[in-house]
Amino acid sequence: MSRPIVATLDCAALRQNLAISRQAAPNSRVWSVVKANAYGHGIERIWQSLSDTDGFALLGLEEAILLRERGWKKPILLLEGFFNSDELAIFDRYRLTTSVHSNWQIQALAKAKLSAPLDVYVKMNSGMNRLGFQPEQIHNVWQKLRALENVGEMTLMAHFAEAEKNSGVLEPMKRVEQAAEGLDCPRSLANSAATLWHPETHYDWVRPGIILYGASPSGQWQDIAGTGLKPVMTLRSEIIGIQNLKAGDGVGYGYRYHAHEEQRIGVVACGYADGYPRHAPTGTPVAVDGVVTQTLGAVSMDMIMVDLTPCPQAGIGSKVELWGNQVKIDDVASAAGTVGYELMCALAPRVPVETL
Ligand SMILES: *Cc1c(COP(=O)(O)O)cnc(C)c1O
Protein backbone atom coordinates (compact mmCIF):
# COMPACT_ATOMS: atom_id res chain seq x y z
CA MET A 1 0.00 0.00 0.00
CA SER A 2 1.19 3.50 -0.73
CA ARG A 3 1.79 6.21 1.84
CA PRO A 4 -1.68 7.16 3.06
CA ILE A 5 -1.51 10.95 2.79
CA VAL A 6 -3.90 12.59 0.31
CA ALA A 7 -5.38 16.04 -0.30
CA THR A 8 -9.01 16.09 -1.42
CA LEU A 9 -10.56 19.06 -3.23
CA ASP A 10 -14.29 19.64 -2.86
CA CYS A 11 -15.35 21.23 -6.14
CA ALA A 12 -18.93 21.76 -4.95
CA ALA A 13 -17.53 23.88 -2.11
CA LEU A 14 -15.55 25.90 -4.62
CA ARG A 15 -18.71 26.59 -6.63
CA GLN A 16 -20.60 27.51 -3.50
CA ASN A 17 -17.83 29.83 -2.29
CA LEU A 18 -17.89 31.65 -5.63
CA ALA A 19 -21.69 32.01 -5.36
CA ILE A 20 -21.31 33.42 -1.83
CA SER A 21 -18.66 35.88 -3.01
CA ARG A 22 -21.01 37.00 -5.76
CA GLN A 23 -23.90 37.45 -3.34
CA ALA A 24 -21.66 39.57 -1.15
CA ALA A 25 -21.07 41.93 -4.10
CA PRO A 26 -24.21 41.50 -6.20
CA ASN A 27 -23.65 44.53 -8.42
CA SER A 28 -20.03 43.81 -9.26
CA ARG A 29 -18.31 41.46 -11.62
CA VAL A 30 -15.91 38.94 -10.12
CA TRP A 31 -12.29 38.24 -10.87
CA SER A 32 -11.59 34.87 -9.28
CA VAL A 33 -8.01 35.06 -8.10
CA VAL A 34 -6.16 31.88 -9.05
CA LYS A 35 -2.56 33.02 -8.66
CA ALA A 36 0.05 30.66 -7.17
CA ASN A 37 -1.53 27.72 -8.98
CA ALA A 38 -4.92 28.53 -7.47
CA TYR A 39 -3.52 28.99 -3.97
CA GLY A 40 -1.89 25.57 -4.17
CA HIS A 41 -5.04 23.75 -5.32
CA GLY A 42 -3.89 23.39 -8.94
CA ILE A 43 -5.40 25.69 -11.55
CA GLU A 44 -5.88 22.82 -13.97
CA ARG A 45 -7.91 20.88 -11.39
CA ILE A 46 -10.20 23.66 -10.25
CA TRP A 47 -10.78 26.24 -12.95
CA GLN A 48 -13.89 24.56 -14.36
CA SER A 49 -15.59 24.66 -10.97
CA LEU A 50 -15.12 28.41 -11.07
CA SER A 51 -16.35 28.84 -14.63
CA ASP A 52 -19.29 30.96 -13.42
CA THR A 53 -16.77 33.70 -12.72
CA ASP A 54 -16.49 36.78 -14.95
CA GLY A 55 -12.72 36.51 -15.20
CA PHE A 56 -9.61 34.90 -13.76
CA ALA A 57 -6.83 36.95 -12.17
CA LEU A 58 -3.34 35.51 -11.83
CA LEU A 59 0.35 36.27 -12.23
CA GLY A 60 1.99 33.72 -14.49
CA LEU A 61 1.75 33.71 -18.26
CA GLU A 62 1.95 29.90 -18.32
CA GLU A 63 -1.22 29.71 -16.22
CA ALA A 64 -2.97 32.25 -18.45
CA ILE A 65 -2.02 30.29 -21.57
CA LEU A 66 -3.21 27.06 -19.96
CA LEU A 67 -6.65 28.60 -19.35
CA ARG A 68 -6.87 29.81 -22.96
CA GLU A 69 -5.77 26.42 -24.29
CA ARG A 70 -8.46 24.71 -22.22
CA GLY A 71 -11.03 26.97 -23.86
CA TRP A 72 -11.55 29.84 -21.38
CA LYS A 73 -12.83 32.78 -23.46
CA LYS A 74 -13.69 35.38 -20.83
CA PRO A 75 -11.15 37.88 -19.44
CA ILE A 76 -7.84 36.99 -17.80
CA LEU A 77 -6.09 39.66 -15.75
CA LEU A 78 -2.35 39.54 -15.13
CA LEU A 79 -2.12 41.19 -11.71
CA GLU A 80 1.51 42.27 -12.08
CA GLY A 81 1.23 42.92 -15.81
CA PHE A 82 4.09 42.14 -18.16
CA PHE A 83 7.63 41.83 -16.77
CA ASN A 84 9.37 42.80 -20.03
CA SER A 85 8.19 44.25 -23.31
CA ASP A 86 8.74 40.99 -25.24
CA GLU A 87 5.84 39.46 -23.35
CA LEU A 88 3.40 41.87 -24.98
CA ALA A 89 3.27 39.62 -28.04
CA ILE A 90 1.87 36.87 -25.81
CA PHE A 91 -0.61 39.26 -24.17
CA ASP A 92 -1.73 40.13 -27.69
CA ARG A 93 -1.96 36.58 -28.94
CA TYR A 94 -3.93 35.31 -25.94
CA ARG A 95 -5.92 38.52 -25.40
CA LEU A 96 -4.85 39.10 -21.80
CA THR A 97 -5.71 42.12 -19.67
CA THR A 98 -2.60 43.71 -18.21
CA SER A 99 -2.00 45.66 -15.08
CA VAL A 100 0.20 48.75 -15.62
CA HIS A 101 2.04 49.92 -12.51
CA SER A 102 5.19 51.63 -13.83
CA ASN A 103 6.14 54.20 -16.46
CA TRP A 104 8.34 51.81 -18.47
CA GLN A 105 5.23 49.73 -19.14
CA ILE A 106 3.45 52.74 -20.68
CA GLN A 107 6.40 53.26 -23.01
CA ALA A 108 6.45 49.58 -23.91
CA LEU A 109 2.74 49.66 -24.70
CA ALA A 110 3.25 52.74 -26.87
CA LYS A 111 5.90 50.97 -28.96
CA ALA A 112 4.36 47.50 -29.19
CA LYS A 113 2.95 46.12 -32.44
CA LEU A 114 -0.37 44.60 -31.47
CA SER A 115 -3.18 43.07 -33.51
CA ALA A 116 -5.82 44.83 -31.38
CA PRO A 117 -5.85 47.06 -28.28
CA LEU A 118 -5.28 45.45 -24.86
CA ASP A 119 -7.46 46.20 -21.85
CA VAL A 120 -5.49 47.82 -19.05
CA TYR A 121 -5.76 47.94 -15.26
CA VAL A 122 -4.01 51.05 -14.00
CA LYS A 123 -2.53 50.13 -10.66
CA MET A 124 -2.51 52.83 -8.03
CA ASN A 125 -0.53 52.76 -4.81
CA SER A 126 -3.23 53.54 -2.23
CA GLY A 127 -0.84 53.46 0.71
CA MET A 128 0.56 49.94 0.85
CA ASN A 129 3.69 50.97 -1.05
CA ARG A 130 3.88 47.79 -3.01
CA LEU A 131 3.11 48.18 -6.74
CA GLY A 132 1.48 51.18 -8.35
CA PHE A 133 1.50 54.85 -9.28
CA GLN A 134 1.14 57.55 -6.66
CA PRO A 135 -2.36 59.08 -6.45
CA GLU A 136 -1.14 62.41 -7.84
CA GLN A 137 0.29 60.66 -10.93
CA ILE A 138 -2.98 58.98 -11.84
CA HIS A 139 -4.48 61.76 -14.00
CA ASN A 140 -1.34 62.02 -16.05
CA VAL A 141 -0.91 58.26 -16.42
CA TRP A 142 -4.55 57.89 -17.35
CA GLN A 143 -4.28 60.49 -20.11
CA LYS A 144 -1.07 59.02 -21.51
CA LEU A 145 -2.57 55.56 -21.70
CA ARG A 146 -5.90 56.82 -23.04
CA ALA A 147 -4.06 58.39 -25.94
CA LEU A 148 -2.45 55.09 -27.03
CA GLU A 149 -3.96 53.11 -29.88
CA ASN A 150 -2.77 49.94 -28.20
CA VAL A 151 -4.94 50.54 -25.12
CA GLY A 152 -8.57 49.42 -24.97
CA GLU A 153 -10.76 49.56 -21.88
CA MET A 154 -9.16 51.04 -18.79
CA THR A 155 -9.94 50.33 -15.13
CA LEU A 156 -8.44 51.84 -12.00
CA MET A 157 -7.12 49.19 -9.60
CA ALA A 158 -5.86 49.47 -6.02
CA HIS A 159 -5.22 46.94 -3.27
CA PHE A 160 -5.82 47.16 0.49
CA ALA A 161 -3.14 46.48 3.10
CA GLU A 162 -5.60 45.74 5.93
CA ALA A 163 -9.14 45.36 4.64
CA GLU A 164 -9.81 42.80 7.38
CA LYS A 165 -9.83 45.68 9.91
CA ASN A 166 -12.93 47.78 10.51
CA SER A 167 -11.37 51.07 9.53
CA GLY A 168 -8.78 49.51 7.22
CA VAL A 169 -10.28 50.80 3.97
CA LEU A 170 -11.04 54.41 4.98
CA GLU A 171 -7.72 56.05 4.24
CA PRO A 172 -6.97 54.12 1.01
CA MET A 173 -10.53 54.80 -0.23
CA LYS A 174 -9.97 58.53 0.32
CA ARG A 175 -6.78 58.38 -1.72
CA VAL A 176 -8.57 56.56 -4.54
CA GLU A 177 -11.37 59.15 -4.49
CA GLN A 178 -8.89 61.99 -4.76
CA ALA A 179 -6.90 60.33 -7.51
CA ALA A 180 -9.98 59.46 -9.55
CA GLU A 181 -11.69 62.83 -9.21
CA GLY A 182 -12.84 63.99 -12.62
CA LEU A 183 -11.97 60.68 -14.28
CA ASP A 184 -14.83 58.57 -15.50
CA CYS A 185 -13.23 55.27 -14.65
CA PRO A 186 -14.41 51.81 -13.69
CA ARG A 187 -12.70 50.61 -10.51
CA SER A 188 -11.52 47.38 -8.92
CA LEU A 189 -10.40 47.62 -5.32
CA ALA A 190 -11.77 44.77 -3.22
CA ASN A 191 -9.91 41.61 -2.19
CA SER A 192 -11.72 38.92 -0.17
CA ALA A 193 -11.86 40.89 3.06
CA ALA A 194 -13.26 43.96 1.34
CA THR A 195 -15.68 41.83 -0.70
CA LEU A 196 -17.11 40.38 2.52
CA TRP A 197 -16.92 43.30 4.90
CA HIS A 198 -16.75 46.60 2.99
CA PRO A 199 -19.53 47.00 0.41
CA GLU A 200 -18.48 50.60 -0.22
CA THR A 201 -15.34 49.23 -1.92
CA HIS A 202 -17.06 46.95 -4.43
CA TYR A 203 -17.43 49.18 -7.51
CA ASP A 204 -17.19 47.42 -10.89
CA TRP A 205 -15.05 44.35 -10.24
CA VAL A 206 -14.17 42.58 -6.97
CA ARG A 207 -11.12 40.29 -6.68
CA PRO A 208 -11.74 37.55 -4.11
CA GLY A 209 -9.02 34.94 -3.60
CA ILE A 210 -8.80 33.20 -0.24
CA ILE A 211 -12.57 33.01 0.37
CA LEU A 212 -13.01 30.98 -2.82
CA TYR A 213 -10.90 28.31 -1.17
CA GLY A 214 -12.86 28.53 2.09
CA ALA A 215 -10.40 30.14 4.48
CA SER A 216 -10.59 33.45 6.30
CA PRO A 217 -8.91 36.61 5.03
CA SER A 218 -8.39 37.64 8.67
CA GLY A 219 -6.76 34.34 9.62
CA GLN A 220 -9.63 33.68 12.08
CA TRP A 221 -12.14 31.04 10.99
CA GLN A 222 -14.63 32.59 13.44
CA ASP A 223 -14.83 35.65 11.20
CA ILE A 224 -16.29 33.65 8.29
CA ALA A 225 -18.02 30.89 10.27
CA GLY A 226 -21.48 32.33 9.59
CA THR A 227 -21.06 33.00 5.88
CA GLY A 228 -21.58 29.52 4.41
CA LEU A 229 -18.04 29.48 3.03
CA LYS A 230 -16.65 25.93 3.07
CA PRO A 231 -13.08 24.64 3.06
CA VAL A 232 -12.17 23.27 -0.38
CA MET A 233 -9.02 21.35 0.59
CA THR A 234 -8.93 18.52 3.11
CA LEU A 235 -5.53 17.09 3.97
CA ARG A 236 -5.83 13.56 5.32
CA SER A 237 -3.52 10.78 6.36
CA GLU A 238 -3.47 7.84 8.73
CA ILE A 239 -1.86 6.62 11.91
CA ILE A 240 1.05 4.38 10.99
CA GLY A 241 2.48 3.71 14.45
CA ILE A 242 1.52 3.72 18.14
CA GLN A 243 3.68 4.36 21.21
CA ASN A 244 2.75 3.95 24.86
CA LEU A 245 4.62 6.54 26.91
CA LYS A 246 5.50 6.49 30.59
CA ALA A 247 5.67 9.66 32.66
CA GLY A 248 8.79 11.60 31.67
CA ASP A 249 9.26 10.01 28.22
CA GLY A 250 10.27 12.43 25.47
CA VAL A 251 8.78 12.66 21.97
CA GLY A 252 10.42 13.47 18.63
CA TYR A 253 13.44 15.59 17.67
CA GLY A 254 14.81 17.60 20.57
CA TYR A 255 12.35 15.84 22.90
CA ARG A 256 10.20 18.94 22.56
CA TYR A 257 7.37 17.20 24.40
CA HIS A 258 7.50 15.07 27.55
CA ALA A 259 4.66 12.93 28.88
CA HIS A 260 3.40 13.92 32.34
CA GLU A 261 1.85 10.52 32.90
CA GLU A 262 1.18 7.38 30.92
CA GLN A 263 0.01 8.43 27.49
CA ARG A 264 -0.86 6.70 24.25
CA ILE A 265 0.29 8.53 21.14
CA GLY A 266 -0.07 7.97 17.40
CA VAL A 267 2.42 8.57 14.62
CA VAL A 268 0.87 10.21 11.53
CA ALA A 269 2.24 9.91 8.00
CA CYS A 270 2.49 13.66 7.36
CA GLY A 271 5.40 16.03 7.90
CA TYR A 272 6.83 19.30 6.75
CA ALA A 273 7.92 17.76 3.46
CA ASP A 274 4.20 17.38 2.73
CA GLY A 275 3.58 21.04 3.47
CA TYR A 276 2.54 20.70 7.11
CA PRO A 277 4.04 23.70 8.95
CA ARG A 278 7.24 22.79 10.76
CA HIS A 279 6.60 25.51 13.33
CA ALA A 280 3.30 24.02 14.51
CA PRO A 281 3.87 23.58 18.25
CA THR A 282 2.56 20.95 20.65
CA GLY A 283 -1.17 21.59 20.94
CA THR A 284 -1.89 22.27 17.27
CA PRO A 285 -5.35 20.83 16.52
CA VAL A 286 -5.68 17.63 14.48
CA ALA A 287 -8.58 15.15 14.19
CA VAL A 288 -8.20 11.39 14.65
CA ASP A 289 -11.19 9.19 13.80
CA GLY A 290 -13.32 12.32 13.89
CA VAL A 291 -12.15 13.40 17.35
CA VAL A 292 -10.22 16.65 17.69
CA THR A 293 -6.95 16.17 19.54
CA GLN A 294 -3.49 17.78 19.39
CA THR A 295 -0.01 17.35 17.98
CA LEU A 296 2.87 16.54 20.34
CA GLY A 297 6.49 17.64 19.94
CA ALA A 298 8.32 18.78 16.84
CA VAL A 299 7.00 18.19 13.33
CA SER A 300 9.45 15.94 11.43
CA MET A 301 10.00 15.82 7.69
CA ASP A 302 7.64 12.88 7.21
CA MET A 303 5.78 12.39 10.50
CA ILE A 304 3.97 14.05 13.35
CA MET A 305 2.96 12.59 16.67
CA VAL A 306 -0.51 13.08 18.10
CA ASP A 307 -2.17 12.59 21.47
CA LEU A 308 -4.59 9.64 21.48
CA THR A 309 -5.93 10.29 25.01
CA PRO A 310 -9.30 11.61 23.73
CA CYS A 311 -9.64 8.75 21.19
CA PRO A 312 -8.60 5.51 22.93
CA GLN A 313 -10.20 3.42 20.18
CA ALA A 314 -7.75 4.79 17.58
CA GLY A 315 -5.07 2.49 16.22
CA ILE A 316 -2.96 1.83 13.18
CA GLY A 317 -4.93 2.81 10.09
CA SER A 318 -7.12 5.35 11.91
CA LYS A 319 -8.02 8.30 9.70
CA VAL A 320 -6.40 11.63 10.48
CA GLU A 321 -7.54 15.04 9.25
CA LEU A 322 -4.72 17.59 9.27
CA TRP A 323 -7.04 20.31 7.96
CA GLY A 324 -10.43 20.45 6.30
CA ASN A 325 -13.98 20.71 7.60
CA GLN A 326 -13.24 19.46 11.10
CA VAL A 327 -9.94 21.15 11.74
CA LYS A 328 -9.92 24.53 10.02
CA ILE A 329 -6.77 25.46 8.13
CA ASP A 330 -6.99 28.86 9.83
CA ASP A 331 -6.65 27.21 13.25
CA VAL A 332 -3.63 25.13 12.21
CA ALA A 333 -2.07 28.21 10.63
CA SER A 334 -2.60 30.45 13.62
CA ALA A 335 -1.13 27.81 15.96
CA ALA A 336 1.93 27.77 13.68
CA GLY A 337 2.18 31.57 13.48
CA THR A 338 1.11 31.85 9.86
CA VAL A 339 -2.00 32.18 7.70
CA GLY A 340 -4.13 29.71 5.75
CA TYR A 341 -2.86 31.26 2.51
CA GLU A 342 0.67 30.03 3.18
CA LEU A 343 -0.36 26.50 4.13
CA MET A 344 -2.47 26.09 0.98
CA CYS A 345 0.30 27.38 -1.25
CA ALA A 346 2.85 25.13 0.46
CA LEU A 347 1.07 21.82 -0.17
CA ALA A 348 3.97 19.71 -1.46
CA PRO A 349 4.03 18.14 -4.92
CA ARG A 350 4.55 14.70 -3.36
CA VAL A 351 1.04 14.77 -1.88
CA PRO A 352 -1.45 13.09 -4.22
CA VAL A 353 -4.54 15.19 -4.91
CA GLU A 354 -8.06 13.89 -5.54
CA THR A 355 -10.99 16.00 -6.65
CA LEU A 356 -14.56 15.35 -5.59
C1 LIG B 1 -3.84 38.11 -4.10
C2 LIG B 1 -4.58 39.31 -4.55
C3 LIG B 1 -5.97 39.40 -4.38
C4 LIG B 1 -6.77 38.37 -3.61
O1 LIG B 1 -6.50 38.51 -2.23
P1 LIG B 1 -7.32 37.64 -1.15
O2 LIG B 1 -6.92 38.22 0.15
O3 LIG B 1 -6.85 36.24 -1.31
O4 LIG B 1 -8.74 37.81 -1.48
C5 LIG B 1 -6.61 40.49 -4.91
N1 LIG B 1 -5.93 41.47 -5.57
C6 LIG B 1 -4.58 41.42 -5.75
C7 LIG B 1 -3.89 42.51 -6.46
C8 LIG B 1 -3.87 40.34 -5.24
O5 LIG B 1 -2.54 40.31 -5.40
Side-chain angles (χ1 to χ4, degrees):
M1 210 194 75
S2 56
R3 196 160 171 264
I5 191 165
V6 60
T8 308
L9 305 182
D10 178 351
C11 292
L14 205 52
R15 260 187 221 105
Q16 178 180 327
N17 295 343
L18 174 59
I20 288 168
S21 309
R22 229 186 234 302
Q23 284 157 21
N27 302 315
S28 308
R29 281 183 282 173
V30 178
W31 289 113
S32 289
V33 180
V34 292
K35 62 190 181 191
N37 204 18
Y39 290 47
H41 292 65
I43 198 163
E44 176 115 58
R45 295 185 192 104
I46 60 90
W47 74 272
Q48 280 174 306
S49 305
L50 292 174
S51 57
D52 268 350
T53 193
D54 300 296
F56 284 112
L58 39 68
L59 271 90
L61 274 181
E62 303 73 19
E63 292 169 323
I65 293 170
L66 181 143
L67 286 172
R68 286 288 185 243
E69 286 179 347
R70 296 293 179 276
W72 178 251
K73 299 263 188 316
K74 289 192 263 178
I76 300 177
L77 168 61
L78 277 286
L79 288 163
E80 294 183 353
F82 48 94
F83 297 93
N84 62 66
S85 45
D86 297 343
E87 290 178 346
L88 279 169
I90 299 172
F91 277 70
D92 184 29
R93 169 153 175 223
Y94 292 96
R95 296 283 95 208
L96 307 176
T97 301
T98 184
S99 148
V100 169
H101 55 76
S102 296
N103 278 312
W104 74 264
Q105 292 175 313
I106 305 180
Q107 286 148 24
L109 270 169
K111 287 193 200 127
K113 299 264 174 292
L114 304 179
S115 63
L118 288 180
D119 293 342
V120 165
Y121 267 51
V122 179
K123 180 86 186 251
M124 175 186 139
N125 173 9
S126 60
M128 188 175 188
N129 288 307
R130 217 168 56 170
L131 285 182
F133 296 101
Q134 291 301 331
E136 57 276 14
Q137 297 176 287
I138 289 295
H139 263 258
N140 188 255
V141 164
W142 196 269
Q143 264 132 34
K144 274 197 211 155
L145 283 165
R146 192 60 291 161
L148 298 182
E149 272 179 15
N150 279 339
V151 173
E153 280 180 36
M154 288 168 54
T155 304
L156 184 64
M157 166 163 70
H159 191 56
F160 296 115
E162 46 176 24
E164 68 286 358
K165 297 204 178 142
N166 269 340
S167 54
V169 300
L170 284 176
E171 197 51 40
M173 284 284 282
K174 258 192 240 160
R175 296 199 182 120
V176 172
E177 285 310 319
Q178 279 167 7
E181 215 183 307
L183 292 180
D184 180 21
C185 59
R187 295 175 205 188
S188 174
L189 310 180
N191 56 4
S192 291
T195 300
L196 284 183
W197 299 318
H198 301 288
E200 70 277 21
T201 65
H202 290 171
Y203 290 101
D204 303 87
W205 285 83
V206 294
R207 303 189 308 269
I210 192 77
I211 56 176
L212 299 175
Y213 309 99
S216 174
S218 68
Q220 302 297 316
W221 170 258
Q222 245 3 76
D223 292 339
I224 60 164
T227 56
L229 292 166
K230 260 186 84 181
V232 171
M233 185 192 296
T234 301
L235 182 62
R236 282 199 190 82
S237 190
E238 291 179 7
I239 303 251
I240 57 169
I242 299 279
Q243 299 291 346
N244 291 292
L245 308 183
K246 298 185 299 296
D249 283 353
V251 171
Y253 286 118
Y255 303 123
R256 296 264 287 278
Y257 174 78
H258 285 92
H260 309 291
E261 54 196 352
E262 287 191 358
Q263 189 176 14
R264 195 163 164 265
I265 71 170
V267 182
V268 181
C270 173
Y272 61 80
D274 298 299
Y276 195 86
R278 199 182 71 85
H279 292 105
T282 291
T284 301
V286 55
V288 177
D289 272 347
V291 179
V292 177
T293 177
Q294 55 171 344
T295 64
L296 301 174
V299 173
S300 319
M301 187 182 287
D302 311 301
M303 285 174 267
I304 10 181
M305 277 63 92
V306 299
D307 184 10
L308 296 181
T309 312
C311 32
Q313 78 299 333
I316 294 202
S318 286
K319 303 281 181 228
V320 177
E321 182 183 297
L322 287 316
W323 58 69
N325 277 307
Q326 259 200 306
V327 175
K328 301 300 188 273
I329 198 168
D330 295 309
D331 295 334
V332 177
S334 72
T338 181
V339 286
Y341 297 77
E342 188 182 12
L343 299 193
M344 290 175 183
C345 292
L347 184 76
R350 82 175 190 186
V351 177
V353 180
E354 302 174 344
T355 44
L356 292 182

